[in-house]
Amino acid sequence: MNKNEYELKVGLEIHQQLASSTKLFCKCNGFDKLEDEIYFKRVLRPTQSELGKTDPAALFESKKSKQMNYIANTNTSCLVEADEEPPHEISEEALDIALTISYLLNAEPVDEIHVMRKLVIDGSNTTGFQRTVIISTGGELQVDNLKIPVLSISLEEDASRIINKNKEQSTYSLDRLSIPLIEITLAPVKFKKEETEKIALTLGRLMRTTGKVARGIGTIRQDVNISIDGENIIEVKGVQQLDMLTNIIEFENHRQINLLKIKKTLIERGLEKNNFSANSIDISNIFTNTDSKLLKQTLINKGRIVAIIAPKFKKLIGQEEYEGTRLGRDISSLVKFFGYGGIFHSDELPNYGITIDEINKIKNKLKNDHDDAFIILAGDNENIDNAIKSIQNRLFQSIIGIPAETRTPTEDGKTDFMRPRPGSARMYPETDIIPVKITDGKRKIIKKSLPKTYEEQISNYKNNIGLNDKLSVQIFDSKYKILFENLIQQIHLPANFIAAQLTETLINLSRNNIDVSKITDEELEKIFKEIEKGEIAKESFEKIIEDICKNENNIDNIINEMKTNKLSEEDVENIILEIIDMKKQIIKQKGIDSFSMLMGETMKQLRGKIDGKIISNKIKELLEKEINKN
Ligand SMILES: [Zn+2]
């Protein structure tokens, strides 16, 4: 079967943090510096009624009861995040930004906003739910000649930041909890390789025109809904890098095609929903003298080894035409959810110390037919029944088609099972917050003050401010867009210089493992002002940032020290004269051509202390004098 016979549809859902000065339901600023840590613990266990019957994700996750630890920071969170105080009214600033973006996409805001609760039971919300509000529906995103329909635009709370996670407990930091996120859901469209990244990039830039969205790692996340031939939708959650989108979509396409091929073969082999059975049998006693280290260790630890029959699955569990798409890999990641290391399946055996003899014993015990396969699961008793059940379900789903799942992206552009896709019963009203009308007055004000488009802003950078092409795009995409626009209003330094420092210099420093996120807008402004006044050299920008971020030096101390050590014109002249004296012979031979040699020698002593332009002028002047003397 040719893969082109399948129609691949892709829908993007973009989650972008807003750079508003407060969180969505309290006055904390989640971007503030982290100080004064306090800790508290919770055990989250949702009640049966909250979970409902139609919510496989919640039921699945509730099987793992866990302790949650939270790190709270008085700067970035309060009692609201700790769920010890009711939420305040919704942030008007965040609402205005969401309305602005709605109008930019020609979406129609709702009359009245109603805060809803969405069940979240992995501990990332202290409340056990995430608050979410639909702001508008409809609209479209224009990408070149393509119009992609917008399904909905919502505001929601960001989740806590995971610090670490193991079988018994998870630790989260509350600084990120409840930072406003705008969620834009685009309609699924037919996948074209060159389009998807462009769509995401265009939408990202449209949001950035407002100057009110956060930038940096983790501030924007893409969820991708992928389906083929009208089968169930697979949701890949949290793609952070745009350049991974295409890889992930292509991987999912192949994985899903593989699943449809398995289904077809199973049906051809006569497997039906009604005659399906995947019994499990304890096979521990087959392995009492095994060479398999893993199985031996399981028995030493008093664990169990079980085999699950996979009827008519021979060669299908290991089947893969595209790297990583085999069903065996999916079943492995399924049992990892319950804390097991993985599985062995008959398509890959004998191997891993498991012998032909042992395989035959298993086949006999399972009464395997010619077309049958089996899966071995080994580990402690605690969750083994749940893990077996999930394998049996997964095998059963193979005759139905592609199971609806939420998957997580891997670093190499594949996807892993995360959990079943939530049912529709996950939302219920937030009773602590009263609905808010979006008045005609507000609509008018926002419509009147819409930002200029991306193209208009770039052209303004180039034609009115004098930025070059590269820096125009870089500064627009950077987190310093607004700071830059403020600085060029008040500081008379070349725009290209300011933009280059805020983009290229800072990027270089962070490539050298310097945490430039520590630097504040106020500090940056101060440095540029001192440079403007001529108090410190242009070249010292990089050195000051490094000093602040690496040594945690205070900016005023650094600048004062530079001023005190600042060389007078006379000092500079003396240094250059000394060098000229030392290089007299060369100057006699080369004349004016010895300039670059002198420049190099002088810069060795004065780099970062004096503006290079001043030095070069001075050298020219003194060199000419020296030559004329001769
Ligand atoms: Zn707060």
Side-chain angles (χ1 to χ4, degrees):
M1 208 188 302
N2 191 320
K3 70 169 185 178
N4 295 327
E5 290 171 31
Y6 297 95
E7 189 187 56
L8 175 63
K9 280 194 158 183
V10 172
L12 291 179
E13 200 179 294
I14 311 261
H15 301 251
Q16 164 74 60
Q17 279 184 353
L18 301 182
S20 62
S21 53
T22 70
K23 289 190 175 178
L24 200 50
F25 297 107
C26 67
K27 292 279 175 276
C28 299
N29 180 346
F31 300 104
D32 219 338
K33 283 191 176 166
L34 300 178
E35 289 163 4
D36 304 331
E37 293 188 340
I38 51 166
Y39 300 87
F40 61 92
K41 292 175 184 177
R42 294 278 160 80
V43 175
L44 289 183
R45 222 170 270 149
T47 65
Q48 200 61 42
S49 67
E50 279 177 324
L51 293 176
K53 275 182 187 160
T54 52
D55 194 346
L59 282 169
F60 200 62
E61 229 148 4
S62 71
K63 287 176 183 163
K64 309 181 292 180
S65 59
K66 267 183 162 188
Q67 180 180 298
M68 308 296 165
N69 305 315
Y70 296 99
I71 303 171
N73 246 275
T74 47
N75 274 1
T76 55
S77 65
C78 63
L79 292 175
V80 175
E81 287 90 333
D83 194 28
E84 282 169 17
E85 186 186 314
H88 306 181
E89 59 195 17
I90 193 164
S91 152
E92 192 159 3
E93 187 188 359
L95 182 57
D96 288 355
I97 302 170
L99 287 170
T100 303
I101 293 171
S102 296
Y103 283 126
L104 291 175
L105 288 165
N106 291 316
E108 193 47 50
V110 296
D111 295 335
E112 197 171 65
I113 59 167
H114 294 261
V115 182
M116 303 292 283
R117 295 175 171 182
K118 207 197 277 182
L119 205 61
V120 175
I121 52 171
D122 63 358
S124 63
N125 280 59
T126 47
T127 48
F129 52 80
Q130 178 194 35
R131 297 186 185 95
T132 172
V133 194
I134 288 196
I135 302 296
S136 54
T137 55
E140 62 201 14
L141 174 71
Q142 178 99 32
V143 183
D144 299 334
N145 293 321
L146 198 70
K147 280 183 176 155
I148 297 126
V150 176
L151 296 180
S152 67
I153 300 175
S154 300
L155 262 179
E156 51 183 41
E157 301 178 292
D158 205 348
S160 312
R161 204 154 48 84
I162 183 88
I163 305 290
N164 62 57
K165 191 175 197 158
N166 60 37
K167 247 172 121 179
E168 285 79 37
Q169 48 185 312
S170 302
T171 303
Y172 292 96
S173 171
L174 294 189
D175 57 327
R176 213 180 69 185
L177 179 61
S178 275
I179 287 180
L181 280 182
I182 188 164
E183 181 201 66
I184 302 176
T185 308
L186 300 178
V189 289
K190 238 176 123 175
F191 175 69
K192 278 201 199 121
K193 199 173 174 176
E194 57 291 344
E195 262 167 23
T196 307
E197 282 173 24
K198 184 105 198 259
I199 293 169
L201 182 67
T202 307
L203 184 52
R205 285 185 167 154
L206 177 134
M207 292 189 281
R208 265 171 255 154
T209 62
T210 63
K212 288 179 180 157
V213 295
R215 298 291 294 141
I217 294 164
T219 56
I220 185 162
R221 301 191 288 280
Q222 266 93 207
D223 292 353
V224 202
N225 293 323
I226 305 163
S227 65
I228 55 174
D229 279 12
E231 287 273 341
N232 274 325
I233 291 170
I234 299 294
E235 180 185 40
V236 183
K237 250 189 156 29
V239 183
Q240 296 209 0
Q241 283 164 289
L242 262 193
D243 50 7
M244 287 308 259
L245 265 179
T246 316
N247 291 347
I248 285 166
I249 292 166
E250 290 196 326
F251 174 83
E252 261 309 307
N253 185 29
H254 286 288
R255 194 186 66 86
Q256 294 180 26
I257 288 171
N258 189 46
L259 291 177
L260 292 187
K261 285 183 180 171
I262 290 174
K263 173 185 170 182
K264 192 164 171 266
T265 312
L266 288 173
I267 290 169
E268 280 166 6
R269 289 179 183 174
L271 193 67
E272 286 171 26
K273 282 184 239 174
N274 307 330
N275 65 13
F276 180 89
S277 117
N279 292 332
S280 71
I281 291 184
D282 194 305
I283 51 167
S284 303
N285 58 8
I286 295 178
F287 293 97
T288 38
N289 289 312
T290 185
D291 289 336
S292 160
K293 281 182 191 156
L294 192 135
L295 296 182
K296 199 184 260 176
Q297 197 56 46
T298 303
L299 295 179
I300 291 170
N301 296 342
K302 305 246 180 297
R304 271 165 68 196
I305 305 170
V306 293
I308 297 129
I309 188 164
K312 313 275 185 210
F313 274 80
K314 189 172 184 179
K315 294 254 185 305
L316 298 180
I317 302 176
Q319 166 178 304
E320 83 176 353
E321 287 163 22
Y322 191 90
E323 200 205 324
T325 56
R326 63 189 182 280
L327 179 60
R329 180 175 172 271
D330 271 356
I331 296 176
S332 264
S333 61
L334 197 64
V335 301
K336 281 176 189 160
F337 191 87
F338 292 99
Y340 294 87
I343 55 152
F344 298 115
H345 59 82
S346 47
D347 290 346
E348 58 178 356
L349 299 176
N351 204 345
Y352 312 108
I354 299 172
T355 62
I356 288 263
D357 183 41
E358 288 163 339
I359 294 168
N360 287 332
K361 282 182 187 162
I362 299 172
K363 281 185 179 169
N364 279 335
K365 212 165 180 181
L366 289 172
K367 301 194 178 71
N368 257 28
D369 275 346
H370 171 71
D371 275 344
D372 294 346
F374 62 82
I375 288 165
I376 300 175
L377 176 69
D380 58 30
N381 273 314
E382 201 191 330
N383 285 319
I384 206 159
D385 290 334
N386 282 331
I388 292 169
K389 209 174 280 169
S390 70
I391 293 174
Q392 289 166 332
N393 283 341
R394 188 66 190 79
L395 292 172
F396 178 70
Q397 281 166 339
S398 297
I399 19 173
I400 300 168
I402 296 161
E405 283 171 357
T406 298
R407 299 179 67 87
T408 186
T410 64
E411 274 174 20
D412 57 349
K414 299 189 175 78
T415 67
D416 267 339
F417 172 80
M418 190 172 161
R419 57 166 188 251
R421 242 170 94 76
S424 54
R426 272 163 81 88
M427 297 255 243
Y428 47 107
E430 165 62 86
T431 43
D432 285 337
I433 303 171
I434 49 166
V436 181
K437 276 208 156 51
I438 302 177
T439 62
D440 286 344
K442 189 184 245 328
R443 287 166 204 259
K444 267 183 202 152
I445 292 170
I446 288 183
K447 270 187 182 167
K448 259 190 187 164
S449 47
L450 290 180
K452 294 215 155 57
T453 65
Y454 168 73
E455 288 76 16
E456 287 166 345
Q457 294 194 27
I458 292 291
S459 130
N460 176 48
Y461 285 165
K462 286 199 237 177
N463 303 327
N464 301 332
I465 297 173
L467 275 192
N468 65 39
D469 291 7
K470 192 172 160 220
L471 284 171
S472 296
V473 175
Q474 280 180 353
I475 200 74
F476 180 91
D477 282 338
S478 90
K479 71 187 264 200
Y480 297 111
K481 176 179 189 287
I482 296 297
L483 177 69
F484 168 78
E485 288 170 3
N486 290 335
L487 289 177
I488 52 161
Q489 297 290 332
Q490 39 163 323
I491 290 176
H492 298 285
L493 286 171
N496 280 312
F497 169 74
I498 299 180
Q501 303 309 311
L502 292 177
T503 56
E504 286 161 2
T505 304
L506 293 180
I507 291 165
N508 275 338
L509 284 166
S510 65
R511 281 198 188 122
N512 291 327
N513 291 322
I514 290 164
D515 180 11
V516 293
S517 67
K518 285 184 185 165
I519 205 96
T520 64
D521 285 5
E522 291 71 32
E523 287 169 331
L524 288 167
E525 188 177 331
K526 199 172 247 178
I527 300 171
F528 285 116
K529 279 190 170 154
E530 296 293 328
I531 293 174
E532 183 195 22
K533 280 191 266 170
E535 296 284 357
I536 53 175
K538 271 184 182 172
E539 287 76 6
S540 53
F541 182 88
E542 190 170 339
K543 200 169 161 286
I544 298 176
I545 305 284
E546 197 176 340
D547 212 7
I548 295 174
C549 299
K550 221 166 139 184
N551 309 323
E552 313 227 322
N553 268 352
N554 174 289
I555 182 162
D556 293 322
N557 294 342
I558 299 171
I559 290 176
N560 281 334
E561 200 177 319
M562 282 192 163
K563 283 185 194 167
T564 347
N565 294 335
K566 201 185 160 201
L567 298 163
S568 66
E569 206 177 321
E570 207 186 327
D571 297 330
V572 176
E573 206 169 298
N574 285 335
I575 289 171
I576 297 174
L577 283 173
E578 228 170 79
I579 293 172
I580 287 180
D581 194 48
M582 266 163 48
K583 305 285 178 187
K584 249 185 199 156
Q585 289 309 109
I586 304 179
I587 296 171
K588 236 180 211 167
Q589 290 165 17
K590 289 194 170 177
I592 202 80
D593 288 340
S594 49
F595 171 79
S596 55
M597 179 270 298
L598 291 174
M599 188 71 194
E601 288 295 319
T602 316
M603 286 307 278
K604 275 187 203 163
Q605 294 190 39
L606 297 178
R607 189 180 304 280
K609 293 178 185 158
I610 296 282
D611 194 327
K613 186 106 193 155
I614 297 174
I615 297 176
S616 100
N617 285 340
K618 204 77 206 166
I619 293 178
K620 267 181 208 151
E621 181 194 323
L622 296 172
L623 179 60
E624 269 166 30
K625 267 191 197 164
E626 175 70 19
I627 292 169
N628 290 338
K629 257 203 306 194
N630 297 328

